[in-house]
Amino acid sequence: MRVASDQPSLHGTVDGPWSRTEFIRGFVAMAPLWVGAIPVGIAFGLAARSAALSVVETVLMSLTVFSAAAQVSAVSLIDEGAPVPVLVGTAVALNLQLLLIGLAVGRQVRSTWMARAVAAYLLTDAAYGVAVAGGRLTLARLTGAGASMFLAWNIGTGLGAVAGAAIPDPRRLGIDFVAPLMFVAVLVPLLRGSAALVTALVAGAVALLLVRVAPSGTVVLGAGLAGSVAGAWWWGRTGSSGRDAEPPDGGST
Amino acid sequence: MTTVAAIAAMAVAVYVVRVGGLLLAGQPIPEPFERVLAFVPVATLTAFVVMSLAGRPEEGAPQLIAAAAAGIAVWRTRRVWVCLVVGMGVYALLRLV
């Protein structure tokens, strides 16, 4: 799979009809992350069952909520008898970064409302991170990546809910190290120009500060906002020549 | 409220967050916000890299070294699979030592 900087600038082009090739590309690009997603899904399935959720309720949660952070929190909250507003509020708070990501995506693609509605259902941090590779972001690719994660997550949940602790955990072999490698592979080619570097430095610093004390969604939101604001500020100050002439995502439609 | 109803409520709420950004993006966005959004991919990807590396601190150095090697490899070759192979390979070697 080739990465973003190989493509010529695609300023002003319009996202064509939804492409099956792109969907498959996104689906396959997510495949390496299955080795992390399935075990975590299994762990959730086990946790939900031990909190006395039925198999149906456990599987339903992964099919409809589709958020590891929200689901894992919900299970312990339900166990403690928390009221529904707390469950809903926690789930939203843990996924606020998807609002920012959705905005960034929406700005880069043109598509029907139906395509957006479907892509939204499958939207996760990882799907976005993986789909940004390979040239201009398309909704089909994002949907493919999302569908791939959805499948892995639900397979894991199903296994955990039904088969229980009998399944060995591949994470002990360190195979899930492929996830950060995947994100490095997508990130590095995007680091063109000083503004992108500033973005990465600020985002990295904020992420390091938050990672021990905040849930994953908050880390992404905080680092995402801080980094992108810093990068935009830097670009505004220095930018309209040479490598800094374009923001790193190739501009909007 | 039954558990199923609670699950449904959570699902709807999370979906609203997911679709909200995608739908709002259709509205005209002021130029400064446009610029900020352009840098969201780099910023969020950096956050993902940091989070996934910081996840298991006991693994520490081998992961950082392997990730750095992989980063150099992809910088040179622009190929995702090279990054994965180099990274996993270096990581495996360092774990054996």
Side-chain angles (χ1 to χ4, degrees):
Chain A
M1 175 166 78
R2 313 197 79 194
V3 284
S5 60
D6 290 316
Q7 309 289 333
S9 165
L10 295 174
H11 240 305
T13 56
V14 175
D15 203 351
W18 207 86
S19 155
R20 193 201 289 186
T21 313
E22 282 288 296
F23 179 90
I24 291 172
R25 241 186 234 158
F27 194 97
V28 167
M30 179 60 79
L33 273 67
W34 280 43
V35 291
I38 293 181
V40 179
I42 293 173
F44 164 72
L46 289 170
R49 296 287 284 133
S50 37
L53 267 76
S54 69
V55 171
V56 167
E57 287 160 350
T58 304
V59 168
L60 185 69
M61 222 194 262
S62 284
L63 286 172
T64 60
V65 177
F66 184 41
S67 162
Q71 289 175 239
V72 168
S73 315
V75 160
S76 46
L77 287 171
I78 288 171
D79 222 5
E80 295 160 18
V84 170
V86 170
L87 291 172
V88 168
T90 307
V92 167
L94 291 171
N95 284 289
L96 272 179
Q97 78 282 6
L98 294 177
L99 192 62
L100 180 65
I101 287 174
L103 267 171
V105 169
R107 176 191 165 274
Q108 276 193 277
V109 302
R110 280 230 193 117
S111 56
T112 63
W113 69 265
M114 183 66 172
R116 290 186 189 223
V118 171
Y121 192 82
L122 300 170
L123 183 65
T124 60
D125 296 354
Y128 180 64
V130 156
V132 166
R136 185 171 194 76
L137 180 67
T138 64
L139 211 59
R141 202 161 73 230
L142 180 65
T143 310
S148 188
M149 175 59 85
F150 186 79
L151 197 55
W153 178 246
N154 280 284
I155 287 172
T157 301
L159 287 172
V162 166
I167 302 153
D169 188 351
R171 284 178 302 173
R172 247 175 264 138
L173 296 169
I175 303 178
D176 63 327
F177 182 55
V178 74
L181 291 178
M182 191 69 193
F183 298 133
V184 164
V186 178
L187 174 63
V188 165
L190 294 178
L191 295 175
R192 290 170 296 161
S194 57
L197 288 171
V198 167
T199 305
L201 284 170
V202 171
V206 173
L208 275 171
L209 286 172
L210 292 178
V211 73
R212 292 260 177 271
V213 299
S216 59
T218 310
V219 176
V220 174
L221 185 60
L225 281 173
S228 48
V229 166
W233 169 77
W234 182 271
W235 190 76
R237 279 190 54 222
T238 61
S240 40
S241 59
R243 306 187 88 202
D244 274 342
E246 261 182 32
D249 65 351
S252 62
T253 53
Chain B
M1 226 188 206
T2 65
T3 309
V4 170
I7 292 171
M10 285 175 62
V12 168
V14 173
Y15 185 70
V16 167
V17 173
R18 282 176 155 136
V19 83
L22 276 167
L23 290 183
L24 274 176
Q27 308 302 314
I29 300 175
E31 165 72 28
F33 294 120
E34 277 268 352
R35 265 194 240 155
V36 168
L37 289 179
F39 291 94
V40 165
V42 172
T44 52
L45 277 166
T46 308
F48 301 154
V49 171
V50 169
M51 281 198 312
S52 47
L53 286 176
R56 286 199 303 196
E58 70 275 10
E59 300 265 355
Q63 287 201 342
L64 289 175
I65 296 170
I72 293 169
V74 73
W75 175 50
R76 289 312 193 73
T77 64
R78 301 274 181 233
R79 293 281 183 275
V80 173
W81 68 265
V82 169
C83 183
L84 298 183
V85 166
V86 168
M88 294 303 284
V90 171
Y91 181 55
L93 283 172
L94 290 174
R95 266 168 68 112
L96 286 174
V97 166

